[in-house]
Amino acid sequence: MTNHNRIYTSQSLIGIITPEIMLLRIKECLRGFPNIQPQYFILEDFSLTDELKLFLTQHEILVIADPYIYQQLKNYESSLHLYQLNTRAIELYQLLLTHQIKQQTKQYCFDFMQQSDILAITHQFEEKIDYVFSKGKATEHIVQNHISYAAQGYFPVTTIAAVFKRLCEQNVECEYLIPKKQEMIVAFERVLLASKSRQNKENQIVYGIIQFETIKPQDQSKVKQILQQFAQQMDGHLIMLNALQYSFITTRGQFERETLGYKHLPLLSRFKEELHINCTIGIGFGINASDSGRHAKQALYQANDNGPNVCYIVREDNRVIGPIETTVFINYEQYPLAITDLQLLERAEKAGMSASYISKLMGRITKHQKYIYTADELAETLHITLRSANRILLKWLDAGLVDIIGEEKVAHRGRPKRIYYMQFLEELKNQ
């Protein structure tokens, strides 16, 4: 049922169900997401109380920090818009690496770790690890299975807070894996784009006004070149209003993706550092051109009052964001990648990839810090269709750029999903 009494907000209202042990890290992570309005529900073990049922109905999307609770909620109501924070690859890699460095050869017992994640990590090691899975319908069954395997010499590695707590209470040596902050950031970026309110805002108009204090005649062409590059990056349109003022138009979805949710806008720093030119930027959001243009002027007034070299945003609800971070950092998707390995270049050309395309691909995948993909995941990362992703992967296989390192079984009928290791991206990274 749609809640027509819900107050309009430019933020996405996200319900987060988490055990206490993960709450602080989640809150720290969400400080960088001004578009997410989180509401928390602390849940240590699954129990379908009336309070939880009410919480489930009050949010357009729910983020579940515990994989066992996520699975139980899926079984309870399949129509819920659930998203789980279940990427723990970095923690697992660090654990295995620590044991390897200390020459502590172990056998492992996992519970809710994905086999594809385990394969991805163990692929980095020369020696394969021996592991089993502790399964059960209730956490108590999972705990008992962990204890049983521990008695056989297996080291318990859990992703379930309730299981970790009970193993510790019984003095069983174990490890609890929590997603790293960077993994959470990637997850919440996807959550933000998945929310219904965010989808409705994807096509909102963004109007920006860029105002310079002064531009030397010899710098005019360079200024225009930088602005055109910026507009192309935004998939937008650039307009020269007068000698000292330009405007650009794009969509909100594109603007938020390119600025990583308003986290960076290095345009001002480029003018300041490369040309020693001061300017201010005002950006407006709106459901139509008139609203976004009016908000851009309001944002520019705000920037001029606090400038120079600042940028402010006025949203469609008249809320102000700013000043926006304008420092330059390495944007991998714009970074010119030099391929020095001739054999690798020949293989890339055989697969129909230009150096510029590899650079863009490297940027997107480096952003997500991930080199192991299924076709579905690659399609989502590159914003292409599943059919295109499968076609690309076949070409890369023929050219020897990727390897198949395993298969992921699916719950429904159908073929298992192949798991691909992006070998050529790691080779480029290590050049």
Short mmCIF file of all heavy atoms in Angstrom, two decimals, residues 244-290:
data_model
loop_
_atom_site.label_atom_id
_atom_site.label_comp_id
_atom_site.label_asym_id
_atom_site.label_seq_id
_atom_site.Cartn_x
_atom_site.Cartn_y
_atom_site.Cartn_z
N LEU A 244 32.12 35.46 -19.36
CA LEU A 244 32.55 34.98 -18.04
C LEU A 244 31.57 33.99 -17.42
O LEU A 244 31.72 33.63 -16.25
CB LEU A 244 32.74 36.17 -17.09
CG LEU A 244 33.86 37.15 -17.44
CD1 LEU A 244 33.89 38.31 -16.45
CD2 LEU A 244 35.21 36.47 -17.49
N GLN A 245 30.59 33.54 -18.18
CA GLN A 245 29.58 32.67 -17.58
C GLN A 245 29.13 31.59 -18.56
O GLN A 245 28.82 31.88 -19.72
CB GLN A 245 28.37 33.49 -17.12
CG GLN A 245 27.54 32.82 -16.04
CD GLN A 245 26.47 33.75 -15.48
OE1 GLN A 245 25.48 34.04 -16.15
NE2 GLN A 245 26.68 34.22 -14.25
N TYR A 246 29.14 30.35 -18.07
CA TYR A 246 28.70 29.20 -18.85
C TYR A 246 27.63 28.45 -18.06
O TYR A 246 27.56 28.56 -16.82
CB TYR A 246 29.86 28.24 -19.14
CG TYR A 246 30.89 28.75 -20.12
CD1 TYR A 246 31.87 29.66 -19.70
CD2 TYR A 246 30.92 28.31 -21.44
CE1 TYR A 246 32.82 30.13 -20.59
CE2 TYR A 246 31.88 28.77 -22.33
CZ TYR A 246 32.82 29.68 -21.90
OH TYR A 246 33.77 30.14 -22.78
N SER A 247 26.84 27.67 -18.77
CA SER A 247 25.88 26.80 -18.10
C SER A 247 25.96 25.42 -18.72
O SER A 247 26.44 25.25 -19.85
CB SER A 247 24.45 27.35 -18.20
OG SER A 247 23.99 27.28 -19.54
N PHE A 248 25.51 24.43 -17.97
CA PHE A 248 25.45 23.07 -18.50
C PHE A 248 24.15 22.41 -18.03
O PHE A 248 23.60 22.77 -16.98
CB PHE A 248 26.66 22.23 -18.08
CG PHE A 248 26.74 21.94 -16.60
CD1 PHE A 248 26.15 20.80 -16.06
CD2 PHE A 248 27.42 22.81 -15.74
CE1 PHE A 248 26.22 20.53 -14.70
CE2 PHE A 248 27.49 22.54 -14.39
CZ PHE A 248 26.90 21.40 -13.86
N ILE A 249 23.68 21.47 -18.81
CA ILE A 249 22.45 20.73 -18.50
C ILE A 249 22.75 19.25 -18.59
O ILE A 249 23.37 18.78 -19.54
CB ILE A 249 21.30 21.08 -19.47
CG1 ILE A 249 20.98 22.58 -19.41
CG2 ILE A 249 20.05 20.27 -19.13
CD1 ILE A 249 19.99 23.02 -20.46
N THR A 250 22.32 18.48 -17.57
CA THR A 250 22.46 17.03 -17.58
C THR A 250 21.31 16.44 -16.78
O THR A 250 20.36 17.16 -16.44
CB THR A 250 23.83 16.60 -17.01
OG1 THR A 250 23.97 15.18 -17.14
CG2 THR A 250 23.98 16.98 -15.56
N THR A 251 21.36 15.15 -16.53
CA THR A 251 20.34 14.51 -15.69
C THR A 251 20.90 14.24 -14.30
O THR A 251 22.12 14.13 -14.12
CB THR A 251 19.86 13.19 -16.30
OG1 THR A 251 20.97 12.27 -16.38
CG2 THR A 251 19.27 13.40 -17.68
N ARG A 252 20.02 14.12 -13.35
CA ARG A 252 20.46 13.92 -11.97
C ARG A 252 21.17 12.59 -11.79
O ARG A 252 22.18 12.51 -11.08
CB ARG A 252 19.25 13.99 -11.03
CG ARG A 252 19.63 13.82 -9.57
CD ARG A 252 18.50 14.24 -8.68
NE ARG A 252 18.82 14.04 -7.27
CZ ARG A 252 18.09 14.50 -6.27
NH1 ARG A 252 17.00 15.20 -6.53
NH2 ARG A 252 18.42 14.27 -5.02
N GLY A 253 20.66 11.55 -12.43
CA GLY A 253 21.31 10.25 -12.30
C GLY A 253 22.74 10.28 -12.78
O GLY A 253 23.65 9.78 -12.11
N GLN A 254 22.97 10.90 -13.96
CA GLN A 254 24.32 10.99 -14.49
C GLN A 254 25.21 11.84 -13.61
O GLN A 254 26.36 11.50 -13.33
CB GLN A 254 24.27 11.57 -15.91
CG GLN A 254 25.61 11.60 -16.62
CD GLN A 254 26.16 10.20 -16.88
OE1 GLN A 254 25.41 9.24 -16.94
NE2 GLN A 254 27.47 10.11 -17.05
N PHE A 255 24.67 12.97 -13.13
CA PHE A 255 25.44 13.87 -12.28
C PHE A 255 25.87 13.17 -10.99
O PHE A 255 27.02 13.29 -10.55
CB PHE A 255 24.61 15.11 -11.96
CG PHE A 255 25.31 16.11 -11.07
CD1 PHE A 255 26.25 16.98 -11.59
CD2 PHE A 255 25.03 16.16 -9.71
CE1 PHE A 255 26.91 17.89 -10.78
CE2 PHE A 255 25.68 17.06 -8.89
CZ PHE A 255 26.61 17.94 -9.42
N GLU A 256 24.94 12.42 -10.38
CA GLU A 256 25.28 11.77 -9.11
C GLU A 256 26.26 10.63 -9.30
O GLU A 256 27.10 10.37 -8.44
CB GLU A 256 23.99 11.27 -8.44
CG GLU A 256 23.12 12.42 -7.95
CD GLU A 256 21.90 11.95 -7.20
OE1 GLU A 256 21.55 10.75 -7.32
OE2 GLU A 256 21.29 12.78 -6.50
N ARG A 257 26.16 9.92 -10.43
CA ARG A 257 27.14 8.84 -10.68
C ARG A 257 28.53 9.40 -10.88
O ARG A 257 29.51 8.87 -10.35
CB ARG A 257 26.69 8.01 -11.89
CG ARG A 257 25.63 6.98 -11.58
CD ARG A 257 25.39 6.06 -12.76
NE ARG A 257 24.71 6.75 -13.85
CZ ARG A 257 23.39 6.83 -13.97
NH1 ARG A 257 22.61 6.28 -13.07
NH2 ARG A 257 22.85 7.46 -14.99
N GLU A 258 28.64 10.48 -11.67
CA GLU A 258 29.96 11.02 -11.98
C GLU A 258 30.60 11.74 -10.80
O GLU A 258 31.82 11.82 -10.70
CB GLU A 258 29.87 11.97 -13.18
CG GLU A 258 29.52 11.30 -14.49
CD GLU A 258 30.54 10.25 -14.90
OE1 GLU A 258 31.73 10.42 -14.59
OE2 GLU A 258 30.15 9.25 -15.53
N THR A 259 29.77 12.29 -9.89
CA THR A 259 30.31 12.97 -8.71
C THR A 259 30.34 12.05 -7.49
O THR A 259 30.64 12.50 -6.39
CB THR A 259 29.48 14.22 -8.37
OG1 THR A 259 28.14 13.84 -8.07
CG2 THR A 259 29.49 15.21 -9.51
N LEU A 260 30.01 10.75 -7.70
CA LEU A 260 29.98 9.76 -6.61
C LEU A 260 29.09 10.24 -5.47
O LEU A 260 29.44 10.17 -4.29
CB LEU A 260 31.40 9.46 -6.10
CG LEU A 260 32.38 8.92 -7.13
CD1 LEU A 260 33.73 8.64 -6.48
CD2 LEU A 260 31.84 7.69 -7.83
N GLY A 261 27.89 10.72 -5.84
CA GLY A 261 26.94 11.17 -4.83
C GLY A 261 27.37 12.47 -4.18
O GLY A 261 27.29 12.62 -2.95
N TYR A 262 27.83 13.43 -5.01
CA TYR A 262 28.27 14.77 -4.57
C TYR A 262 29.56 14.72 -3.74
O TYR A 262 29.85 15.65 -2.99
CB TYR A 262 27.20 15.51 -3.75
CG TYR A 262 25.78 15.30 -4.17
CD1 TYR A 262 24.78 15.13 -3.22
CD2 TYR A 262 25.43 15.25 -5.52
CE1 TYR A 262 23.46 14.91 -3.61
CE2 TYR A 262 24.11 15.04 -5.90
CZ TYR A 262 23.14 14.87 -4.95
OH TYR A 262 21.84 14.65 -5.33
N LYS A 263 30.32 13.65 -3.86
CA LYS A 263 31.55 13.54 -3.05
C LYS A 263 32.72 14.31 -3.66
O LYS A 263 33.65 14.68 -2.96
CB LYS A 263 31.93 12.06 -2.87
CG LYS A 263 30.99 11.27 -1.99
CD LYS A 263 31.55 9.88 -1.78
CE LYS A 263 30.61 9.04 -0.94
NZ LYS A 263 29.38 8.72 -1.66
N HIS A 264 32.70 14.52 -4.98
CA HIS A 264 33.81 15.25 -5.58
C HIS A 264 33.36 15.96 -6.85
O HIS A 264 32.52 15.49 -7.60
CB HIS A 264 34.98 14.31 -5.88
CG HIS A 264 34.83 13.61 -7.20
ND1 HIS A 264 35.50 14.01 -8.34
CD2 HIS A 264 34.06 12.57 -7.57
CE1 HIS A 264 35.15 13.21 -9.35
NE2 HIS A 264 34.29 12.34 -8.92
N LEU A 265 33.93 17.14 -7.06
CA LEU A 265 33.71 17.91 -8.28
C LEU A 265 35.00 18.70 -8.52
O LEU A 265 35.11 19.87 -8.14
CB LEU A 265 32.51 18.85 -8.14
CG LEU A 265 32.09 19.61 -9.40
CD1 LEU A 265 31.58 18.63 -10.45
CD2 LEU A 265 31.03 20.63 -9.08
N PRO A 266 36.01 18.08 -9.13
CA PRO A 266 37.35 18.68 -9.22
C PRO A 266 37.48 19.79 -10.26
O PRO A 266 38.57 20.30 -10.47
CB PRO A 266 38.24 17.49 -9.59
CG PRO A 266 37.32 16.56 -10.31
CD PRO A 266 35.98 16.72 -9.66
N LEU A 267 36.38 20.21 -10.88
CA LEU A 267 36.44 21.21 -11.94
C LEU A 267 37.06 22.52 -11.45
O LEU A 267 37.91 23.11 -12.12
CB LEU A 267 35.03 21.47 -12.48
CG LEU A 267 34.92 22.41 -13.69
CD1 LEU A 267 35.64 21.81 -14.89
CD2 LEU A 267 33.46 22.66 -14.02
N LEU A 268 36.64 22.99 -10.27
CA LEU A 268 37.15 24.26 -9.75
C LEU A 268 38.66 24.20 -9.51
O LEU A 268 39.39 25.16 -9.80
CB LEU A 268 36.43 24.62 -8.45
CG LEU A 268 34.96 25.00 -8.58
CD1 LEU A 268 34.33 25.19 -7.22
CD2 LEU A 268 34.81 26.27 -9.39
N SER A 269 39.12 23.09 -8.97
CA SER A 269 40.55 22.95 -8.70
C SER A 269 41.36 22.97 -9.99
O SER A 269 42.49 23.46 -10.02
CB SER A 269 40.83 21.66 -7.92
OG SER A 269 40.33 21.75 -6.62
N ARG A 270 40.81 22.42 -11.07
CA ARG A 270 41.51 22.43 -12.35
C ARG A 270 41.75 23.86 -12.82
O ARG A 270 42.86 24.22 -13.25
CB ARG A 270 40.71 21.67 -13.41
CG ARG A 270 40.73 20.17 -13.27
CD ARG A 270 40.36 19.50 -14.57
NE ARG A 270 41.32 19.77 -15.64
CZ ARG A 270 41.18 19.38 -16.91
NH1 ARG A 270 40.09 18.72 -17.27
NH2 ARG A 270 42.09 19.66 -17.81
N PHE A 271 40.73 24.70 -12.74
CA PHE A 271 40.89 26.10 -13.15
C PHE A 271 41.88 26.83 -12.25
O PHE A 271 42.71 27.61 -12.72
CB PHE A 271 39.54 26.82 -13.14
CG PHE A 271 38.62 26.41 -14.24
CD1 PHE A 271 37.35 25.93 -13.97
CD2 PHE A 271 39.02 26.49 -15.57
CE1 PHE A 271 36.50 25.54 -14.99
CE2 PHE A 271 38.18 26.10 -16.60
CZ PHE A 271 36.92 25.63 -16.32
N LYS A 272 41.79 26.57 -10.95
CA LYS A 272 42.67 27.25 -9.99
C LYS A 272 44.12 26.82 -10.17
O LYS A 272 45.03 27.68 -10.18
CB LYS A 272 42.19 26.94 -8.57
CG LYS A 272 43.01 27.61 -7.47
CD LYS A 272 42.84 29.10 -7.47
CE LYS A 272 43.59 29.75 -6.30
NZ LYS A 272 43.50 31.22 -6.34
N GLU A 273 44.37 25.54 -10.33
CA GLU A 273 45.74 25.03 -10.36
C GLU A 273 46.38 25.11 -11.74
O GLU A 273 47.57 25.39 -11.86
CB GLU A 273 45.76 23.59 -9.84
CG GLU A 273 45.35 23.48 -8.38
CD GLU A 273 45.26 22.04 -7.91
OE1 GLU A 273 45.69 21.15 -8.67
OE2 GLU A 273 44.77 21.81 -6.78
N GLU A 274 45.59 24.88 -12.79
CA GLU A 274 46.16 24.88 -14.14
C GLU A 274 46.22 26.26 -14.76
O GLU A 274 47.17 26.59 -15.48
CB GLU A 274 45.36 23.95 -15.05
CG GLU A 274 45.42 22.48 -14.64
CD GLU A 274 44.61 21.59 -15.57
OE1 GLU A 274 44.37 21.99 -16.73
OE2 GLU A 274 44.21 20.49 -15.14
N LEU A 275 45.21 27.11 -14.49
CA LEU A 275 45.14 28.42 -15.14
C LEU A 275 45.14 29.59 -14.15
O LEU A 275 45.15 30.75 -14.59
CB LEU A 275 43.87 28.49 -16.00
CG LEU A 275 43.75 27.45 -17.12
CD1 LEU A 275 42.40 27.57 -17.81
CD2 LEU A 275 44.88 27.63 -18.13
N HIS A 276 45.14 29.29 -12.85
CA HIS A 276 45.11 30.34 -11.81
C HIS A 276 43.90 31.25 -11.99
O HIS A 276 44.00 32.48 -11.90
CB HIS A 276 46.40 31.15 -11.82
CG HIS A 276 47.65 30.30 -11.71
ND1 HIS A 276 48.01 29.65 -10.56
CD2 HIS A 276 48.59 30.00 -12.65
CE1 HIS A 276 49.14 28.97 -10.78
NE2 HIS A 276 49.51 29.16 -12.03
N ILE A 277 42.76 30.62 -12.24
CA ILE A 277 41.51 31.35 -12.46
C ILE A 277 40.54 31.00 -11.33
O ILE A 277 40.38 29.84 -10.97
CB ILE A 277 40.87 30.96 -13.81
CG1 ILE A 277 41.76 31.42 -14.96
CG2 ILE A 277 39.47 31.56 -13.95
CD1 ILE A 277 41.26 30.98 -16.32
N ASN A 278 39.88 32.02 -10.78
CA ASN A 278 38.87 31.82 -9.75
C ASN A 278 37.48 31.76 -10.38
O ASN A 278 37.17 32.53 -11.30
CB ASN A 278 38.90 32.95 -8.72
CG ASN A 278 40.16 32.93 -7.88
OD1 ASN A 278 40.72 31.87 -7.61
ND2 ASN A 278 40.62 34.10 -7.46
N CYS A 279 36.65 30.85 -9.88
CA CYS A 279 35.27 30.79 -10.34
C CYS A 279 34.39 30.15 -9.28
O CYS A 279 34.89 29.58 -8.30
CB CYS A 279 35.16 30.04 -11.67
SG CYS A 279 35.47 28.27 -11.57
N THR A 280 33.10 30.27 -9.43
CA THR A 280 32.13 29.66 -8.54
C THR A 280 31.11 28.90 -9.38
O THR A 280 30.90 29.20 -10.56
CB THR A 280 31.39 30.71 -7.68
OG1 THR A 280 30.88 31.74 -8.54
CG2 THR A 280 32.32 31.33 -6.66
N ILE A 281 30.48 27.89 -8.76
CA ILE A 281 29.50 27.08 -9.47
C ILE A 281 28.24 26.95 -8.63
O ILE A 281 28.30 26.67 -7.44
CB ILE A 281 30.05 25.66 -9.76
CG1 ILE A 281 31.32 25.72 -10.62
CG2 ILE A 281 28.99 24.80 -10.47
CD1 ILE A 281 31.94 24.37 -10.90
N GLY A 282 27.11 27.15 -9.27
CA GLY A 282 25.82 26.91 -8.65
C GLY A 282 25.07 25.86 -9.44
O GLY A 282 24.98 25.95 -10.66
N ILE A 283 24.54 24.86 -8.76
CA ILE A 283 23.86 23.74 -9.42
C ILE A 283 22.47 23.59 -8.84
O ILE A 283 22.29 23.60 -7.62
CB ILE A 283 24.65 22.43 -9.25
CG1 ILE A 283 26.02 22.56 -9.96
CG2 ILE A 283 23.87 21.24 -9.79
CD1 ILE A 283 26.95 21.41 -9.70
N GLY A 284 21.47 23.46 -9.73
CA GLY A 284 20.10 23.33 -9.29
C GLY A 284 19.45 22.05 -9.78
O GLY A 284 19.67 21.63 -10.92
N PHE A 285 18.66 21.41 -8.91
CA PHE A 285 17.86 20.25 -9.29
C PHE A 285 16.41 20.68 -9.43
O PHE A 285 15.94 21.59 -8.74
CB PHE A 285 17.92 19.15 -8.22
CG PHE A 285 19.29 18.55 -8.02
CD1 PHE A 285 19.54 17.76 -6.91
CD2 PHE A 285 20.31 18.76 -8.93
CE1 PHE A 285 20.79 17.19 -6.70
CE2 PHE A 285 21.57 18.19 -8.74
CZ PHE A 285 21.81 17.41 -7.62
N GLY A 286 15.68 19.99 -10.30
CA GLY A 286 14.27 20.31 -10.44
C GLY A 286 13.56 19.30 -11.33
O GLY A 286 14.20 18.61 -12.13
N ILE A 287 12.24 19.23 -11.20
CA ILE A 287 11.47 18.31 -12.02
C ILE A 287 11.23 18.90 -13.40
O ILE A 287 10.77 18.21 -14.30
CB ILE A 287 10.13 17.95 -11.34
CG1 ILE A 287 9.30 19.20 -11.09
CG2 ILE A 287 10.38 17.19 -10.05
CD1 ILE A 287 7.92 18.90 -10.54
N ASN A 288 11.53 20.21 -13.59
CA ASN A 288 11.45 20.83 -14.91
C ASN A 288 12.58 21.84 -15.04
O ASN A 288 13.26 22.18 -14.06
CB ASN A 288 10.08 21.47 -15.14
CG ASN A 288 9.72 22.47 -14.06
OD1 ASN A 288 10.48 23.38 -13.75
ND2 ASN A 288 8.54 22.30 -13.47
N ALA A 289 12.78 22.34 -16.26
CA ALA A 289 13.89 23.24 -16.54
C ALA A 289 13.77 24.54 -15.76
O ALA A 289 14.77 25.11 -15.31
CB ALA A 289 13.97 23.52 -18.04
N SER A 290 12.54 25.04 -15.61
CA SER A 290 12.33 26.30 -14.89
C SER A 290 12.78 26.20 -13.44
O SER A 290 13.50 27.07 -12.93
CB SER A 290 10.86 26.69 -14.97
OG SER A 290 10.61 27.86 -14.20
#
